[in-house]
Amino acid sequence: EAQVTQNPRYLITVTGKKLTVTCSQNMNHEYMSWYRQDPGLGLRQIYYSMNVEVTDKGDVPEGYKVSRKEKRNFPLILESPSPNQTSLYFCASRRGEGIQYFGAGTRLSVL
Amino acid sequence: DAKTTQPNSMESNEEEPVHLPCNHSTISGTDYIHWYRQLPSQGPEYVIHGLTSNVNNRMASLAIAEDRKSSTLILHRATLRDAAVYYCILRDRRDNYGQNFVFGPGTRLSVLP
């Protein structure tokens, strides 16, 4: 079954404590992305990757890091989380202009 | 700037057709128009995409204006399960590789029984 798997689904943390949200896809897709969703703002792209070792910024990259060392994995790293990064995060993957598959989401609260 | 404009909300009766409009006057010649929807408490899911010609799939139809500055997503018979936020999406080519997808606030579709 085609899947994008994010972990954890829910996370509560404190300001400044580094965290990583993992994302994995089983479809051998080249493209992977991270989005955040906030009320009234829709989804905004944080970072994307076109393939292993190729990443670029989206609309809201400040405060986030990503890496793409393997094709199937695209972790999102918050080195020093702040309360304004409290949000719902989605990982997605696709092939070319094709269908983008989204994960179930990670709800993050930074206290 | 890849901007789309959609109505905030629309309402439909069950089993009637729904036409969801989207304006994208700044679309470039090679950009596909993508539609996704998000059901409550779920991640977005693909609906349809197209470039110039009208497109059909098992979920919906996409009608694209001849000048490509607008498009309409057509659900032929709305069901209660179609109640969702529908997003019309373009790519923003200001980034290095042209892969930044821009979601607007979308249209919240309510389906009445």
Side-chain angles (χ1 to χ4, degrees), chain B residues 1-2 9 15 26 32 38 46 54 62 72 88 95 99 101 106:
Chain B
D1 187 1
S9 62
E15 298 193 4
T26 59
Y32 281 77
Q38 188 172 19
Y46 170 82
N54 294 345
L62 177 60
T72 302
C88 168
D95 57 303
Q99 297 297 327
F101 282 79

Side-chain angles (χ1 to χ4, degrees), chain A residues 31 35 37 40-43 45 48 50 54-59 90 94 97-100 102-103, chain B residues 32 34 36 38 42-44 46 49 87 91-92 94-105:
Chain A
Y31 295 93
Y35 296 85
Q37 185 170 32
L41 295 176
L43 281 86
Q45 193 158 321
Y48 65 84
M50 293 174 67
V54 183
T55 64
D56 200 10
K57 298 174 182 178
D59 275 336
F90 289 102
R94 66 182 168 91
E97 283 291 344
I99 298 170
Q100 225 175 154
F102 285 80
Chain B
Y32 281 77
H34 302 258
Y36 283 74
Q38 188 172 19
Q42 294 189 25
Y46 170 82
H49 74 290
Y87 298 100
R91 286 199 296 191
D92 184 347
R94 290 175 298 169
D95 57 303
N96 291 332
Y97 301 105
Q99 297 297 327
N100 187 25
F101 282 79
V102 179
F103 283 68

Side-chain angles (χ1 to χ4, degrees), chain A residues 70-97:
Chain A
E70 305 165 281
K71 200 170 186 180
R72 63 181 291 123
N73 296 322
F74 190 45
L76 179 70
I77 302 156
L78 284 71
E79 295 267 4
S80 182
S82 62
N84 65 12
Q85 292 178 298
T86 292
S87 188
L88 179 58
Y89 292 86
F90 289 102
C91 179
S93 76
R94 66 182 168 91
R95 176 177 294 120
E97 283 291 344

Side-chain angles (χ1 to χ4, degrees), chain B residues 44-84:
Chain B
E45 66 174 354
Y46 170 82
V47 178
I48 201 166
H49 74 290
L51 184 61
T52 54
S53 307
N54 294 345
V55 184
N56 301 296
N57 66 22
R58 64 175 179 79
M59 283 182 73
S61 296
L62 177 60
I64 301 172
E66 200 167 325
D67 63 6
R68 296 199 346 112
K69 292 181 187 248
S70 65
S71 61
T72 302
L73 178 71
I74 303 163
L75 307 179
H76 295 287
R77 287 183 68 198
T79 70
L80 297 177
R81 287 175 297 177
D82 291 323

Side-chain angles (χ1 to χ4, degrees), chain B residues 5-17:
Chain B
T5 305
Q6 300 176 252
N8 290 334
S9 62
M10 290 184 67
E11 209 171 76
S12 172
N13 293 319
E14 200 175 7
E15 298 193 4
E16 289 187 357

Side-chain angles (χ1 to χ4, degrees), chain A residues 7 19-23 34-36 46-47 61 63-67 74-79 89-91 106 108:
Chain A
N7 281 297
L19 67 91
T20 299
V21 184
T22 63
C23 176
W34 276 104
Y35 296 85
R36 62 178 286 173
I46 302 170
Y47 270 97
Y64 303 95
K65 280 177 57 176
V66 292
S67 68
F74 190 45
L76 179 70
I77 302 156
L78 284 71
E79 295 267 4
Y89 292 86
F90 289 102
C91 179
T106 295
L108 171 66

